[in-house]
Amino acid sequence: METVRRLASIAHQQRADAGIKVRQPLHRIIIREILSENLQELLRDEVNVKKVVVNEKQSEDVKLDTTIDANLKKEGFSRELIRSINALRKKSGLTINDTITIALSG
């Protein structure tokens, strides 16, 4: 578990350096250490990537693939939109059971 925290911390720093929010999904993270499937899933969820690849021969502990294609960009936009809507709902005092109508254009 400590290994996952350390790797996630490095990945979060790489995201910050690249100016990519955590809500923006990425294709993959390449790590040097072998992790169990459960720990890989934890890491995948923590850093918001689709795939964990192990490459024991790479020089750095973590290499985050920061390439964002059209599909990832759409998914990131959707997540940001949902976050914004939920923030507005909370600010307006609405509950989960309250229904709203949303219109998007453009």
Side-chain angles (χ1 to χ4, degrees), residues 42-92:
L42 261 167
L43 181 62
R44 195 170 35 248
D45 291 345
E46 177 63 29
V47 297
N48 194 13
V49 294
K50 303 292 183 185
K51 186 176 181 181
V52 175
V53 176
V54 177
N55 179 355
E56 296 177 85
K57 295 178 182 176
Q58 78 177 4
S59 58
E60 58 266 301
D61 287 338
V62 174
K63 183 170 183 343
L64 196 60
D65 180 357
T66 57
T67 306
I68 301 172
D69 65 15
N71 288 334
L72 288 175
K73 191 168 188 150
K74 286 178 188 176
E75 189 176 339
F77 174 78
S78 297
R79 289 181 181 192
E80 186 63 33
L81 179 63
I82 290 167
R83 187 202 64 75
S84 297
I85 291 168
N86 285 334
L88 289 171
R89 287 176 59 91
K90 183 178 181 179
K91 184 177 179 182
S92 299

Side-chain angles (χ1 to χ4, degrees), residues 1-13 29-49 52 54 61-64:
M1 187 65 153
E2 184 59 35
T3 301
V4 172
R5 283 190 190 112
R6 183 176 56 78
L7 296 174
S9 177
I10 295 169
H12 287 309
Q13 184 60 53
I29 184 173
I30 305 166
I31 60 174
R32 186 169 45 181
E33 297 181 47
I34 297 174
L35 298 176
S36 70
E37 192 59 41
N38 289 341
L39 291 179
Q40 284 188 30
E41 185 177 342
L42 261 167
L43 181 62
R44 195 170 35 248
D45 291 345
E46 177 63 29
V47 297
N48 194 13
V49 294
V52 175
V54 177
D61 287 338
V62 174
K63 183 170 183 343
L64 196 60

